Amino acid sequence: MGYGLLAGAIAAEILATTSMKYSDGFSKLWPSLVTGVGYVVAFALLAQALKTLQVGTAYAIWSGVGTAAVAVIGFLFLGESLGPAKIVGLVLIIAGVAVLNLGGAH
């Protein structure tokens, strides 16, 4: 159950962050509202997930997966660059999350 809530928190955070880009500095109503609601939902779901998951592991997964997903969305849909340095950084983030999980941080 905890990992399902965490997945929902990640999805909400990704939606909120992507919507923030479209809000144009919070000058556009609907993307701004999606951003605000998305972050409220993300934190609410993360808080519920922390009832059964350790905070270090959950936060590493939440922030790592969210960061990687937003970087890929930026590349695929927003015309942002994804050079070798960014790719290495994303691989290191994913590796770090994996090490936390494999290292008994549950």
Side-chain angles (χ1 to χ4, degrees), residues 7-101:
I10 292 166
E13 188 267 336
I14 292 166
L15 176 65
T17 302
T18 304
S19 296
M20 190 184 308
K21 173 71 173 176
Y22 289 107
S23 77
D24 196 30
F26 295 117
S27 65
K28 295 181 180 174
L29 177 62
W30 291 110
S32 298
L33 289 175
V34 172
T35 299
V37 170
Y39 278 119
V40 168
V41 169
F43 282 111
L45 291 173
L46 181 60
Q48 294 302 309
L50 292 177
K51 289 180 178 180
T52 58
L53 302 175
Q54 289 188 1
V55 68
T57 301
Y59 188 72
I61 294 169
W62 184 68
S63 61
V65 172
T67 299
V70 169
V72 171
I73 288 168
F75 173 70
L76 293 175
F77 302 108
L78 302 174
E80 297 178 358
S81 66
L82 190 62
K86 284 187 180 179
I87 293 170
V88 169
L90 292 172
V91 169
L92 289 172
I93 290 169
I94 293 165
V97 170
V99 168
L100 276 174
N101 282 301

